[in-house]
Amino acid sequence: MHHMKKYFTEGLIQFTILLSLIGVRVDVDTYLSGYFSPLIETDGGPSSAFIQTPFHHYRDTAAGHHVHPKCPELDYFFTSRRLLNEVRALGSPARFPTRVSAWLVHLVPDEGSDGDELPEDPDNQEVNTENHQEENDHRAGEGFGLSLSQDCTVSRPCCASGELSKEETLMNQENEEEDVKDEKKQEQTNPSSLTQSSALEHEDLVVSGSLPPPLSGLELPPRLQDFLSDFDDFDSIVPQHMSDLEADLSNPISYDVSLQDAMVTRGDSANCRSASSRAQLFRLESTNSSHSDPPHSSAGILSSSLFCLSGNSSRNETSSSQLGGYLDEAVFEHINMLDLCNLGQINPQMLDDMQGDMDTQWMEDSDSGLSLESSSRSVASPSSSSDSFGEDESGATGCSSEVESFSSKGGACAASYYDWSPVDLHENIWHDHTYSATQAHNSTSSNWFTAIKQEVMSEDEAEPEEMSRDEHRVQALGLPFSAFQIVNMPVENFLELLDRQNLSGSDVTLLRDVRRRGKNKLAAQNCRKRKLDAIVGLQGEVEGLMVQRDALLRQRDHTAKALSATAERFEALSRTMFSHIRDEYGHPLNPEHYTLHCSANGRVMVQPRTNTTSRTMKGSKTVKRKKDKKP
DNA sequence: ATTCAATGTCATCTG
DNA sequence: CTCAGATGACATTGA
């Protein structure tokens, strides 16, 4: 189920982003009405929307597990972030043809099936014209009228007619898989090279594939070039704000991923998106991330909560971050929509099959420490790594039991996982990572042991092995307490424990060290989280100040222009006045040597200019105030 | 082999 | 003084 959902989500997201960027509003609800409709379409050949990079297929395989080895449950988030970054990188059109060409592979055979000469094909021209129109519409901010169904009139027939051979299908898939493999490499290497190669590959596909006879190889490249040339102007296609905001997108603080922990704590629910806003995909007016919709979405619990992350990430962003807001919301909203709709329609057999993979993922999910929120989800993984009971505690306030139940629910685990309410998730993710210390402290002295014991027992069941060094040391003492308990028990109980157990001095020191290290570990984690919070806050502050600075600069320019205009008017008025003013000899005054001065009482006086004072100083006293009446 | 991020640990300070 | 928490600095680990 995860495979299918992720696969479809990926494809839809990418396709949606692609279409949205060229101004086509995509209504995915038509797909959601029938969950497997994409499958039906892909039977006849890979629909352009669903041959997109199947990251999760890769991630779920042994070869591709490295994609997100630490936190598969946050895979949505990271994948969305990765897609988001890709889209952000589209500020330069270099990467874009990779996706576009994948789309074109289906577009061309469809047109070829009509048997028309491509350059003269009116439909084709219509398509191109339509694209241009969409682009123009998009420029005007009105290009959201086209629905997916319209677009599918281009791509679907080729799938239905099965004109794409199996070979071509496989090649397409391989292409996409290669894209997946090269995704990371592209990040470091020159993106244009791969883009070109990908485009070439797709072009080769088109040329050498099972194209109908009317489509000769000589005709296609110009067409592709024409089509791609449309996207060469991508920067101009994309709304102006996109390019305006590029600088901000290259923000040196990459809090998109790394600082998510910091953002987590800022996860006020007010920023979460409501599923009711599904229909407002990619609308400019809906892109302000400061939504106040409560996070009561019934679907996409994890993703919706992660959207809170997204919202938080852009919460402090000012206008210069609007693009991120647009894309974040578009991407996450799609995920939110697709996330968990119609889960009940999944074949139970498939669910069972995938359960194994899922368990494997969770088993393989290993994260030392807590990774704060992320690892808090991985409590269920028995292979949690080494040196910490912190990951045991990472369930923190009550999370472990839920995850425990999650991992034990068999085929329903995914559903139950997604059945977590957003509030629950918030409680489990956005909680203060003081772990159960607060819980233990809040509990009365009589039940502190029970509270800790329950938590630890569930965790011990989940992780009978992989104990930390301190855990091993404590166990070696033969004490009926775990390191977790020792860390989190009240100090009076800890002292009582030290007294009762007839421990040697070294053992007492060991237990004290265990307790100290455990507490300090949590403190360090909190400290780092706060630090990231501070960084993000400062970043938002800087952005706000930059906006303020820009506003002040604009205001200064405006004021300078007004002042200049006023000075010109004053000069003109002065010249007019000087033309009527005469000295005692009846000679007109030279405006270059004299200036009018308005006194506080409203009187207007004639004064020699200061820069000419040296020349006219001697005579100025006599010339001054010859006439102070306005004409 | 090197780099880097994440995390754990220690020392120290503060309330 | 002890304790808990905060934080800088360093070590370790894994990608």
Side-chain angles (χ1 to χ4, degrees), chain A residues 22 57 87 107 160 164 169 207 212 228 243 254 272 282 299 333 336 367 380 414 434 446 503 519 549 575 604:
Chain A
I22 62 175
H57 268 307
V87 175
L107 176 67
L164 283 178
T169 303
V207 174
L228 289 176
S243 58
S254 60
C272 295
F282 229 74
E333 203 158 345
N336 204 4
D367 196 355
T434 52
S446 61
L503 298 170
K519 287 192 175 294
R549 185 197 63 176
R575 284 192 295 272
V604 178

Side-chain angles (χ1 to χ4, degrees), chain A residues 301 377 402 419-430:
Chain A
I301 307 308
R377 326 289 316 195
E402 293 180 3
D419 281 339
W420 284 1
S421 70
V423 176
D424 290 340
L425 194 73
H426 272 286
E427 289 176 357
N428 289 313
I429 290 188
W430 317 139

Side-chain angles (χ1 to χ4, degrees), chain A residues 155-176:
Chain A
S155 60
R156 278 182 181 173
C158 72
C159 305
S161 60
E163 289 176 2
L164 283 178
S165 64
K166 283 284 184 180
E167 178 184 353
E168 186 174 346
T169 303
L170 289 176
M171 292 177 69
N172 284 335
Q173 292 175 349
E174 290 174 3
N175 251 343
E176 292 305 314

Side-chain angles (χ1 to χ4, degrees), chain A residues 56 59 64-72 75 78-79 82 184:
Chain A
H56 298 282
R59 204 281 320 280
H65 187 266
H66 65 278
V67 176
H68 294 307
K70 281 193 172 183
C71 195
D75 207 351
F78 288 120
T79 303
R82 189 171 62 249
K184 288 190 173 180

Side-chain angles (χ1 to χ4, degrees), chain A residues 229-286:
Chain A
S229 67
D230 295 340
F231 294 98
D232 288 338
D233 298 328
F234 184 74
D235 277 340
S236 61
I237 294 171
V238 176
Q240 185 61 38
H241 57 263
M242 194 165 183
S243 58
D244 292 339
L245 304 173
E246 291 236 345
D248 184 71
L249 296 180
S250 60
N251 199 310
I253 299 180
S254 60
Y255 60 90
D256 281 348
V257 175
S258 299
L259 299 187
Q260 57 162 330
D261 294 340
M263 289 182 282
V264 156
T265 59
R266 309 163 67 89
D268 48 352
S269 60
N271 288 325
C272 295
R273 304 297 314 272
S274 168
S276 62
S277 60
R278 287 176 182 173
Q280 302 174 353
L281 292 179
F282 229 74
R283 287 183 183 170
L284 295 181
E285 65 269 19
S286 70

Side-chain angles (χ1 to χ4, degrees), chain A residues 188-203:
Chain A
Q188 288 93 19
T189 59
N190 183 12
S192 60
S193 62
L194 182 97
T195 301
Q196 293 171 354
S197 65
S198 297
L200 286 176
E201 287 171 8
H202 290 302
E203 194 167 303

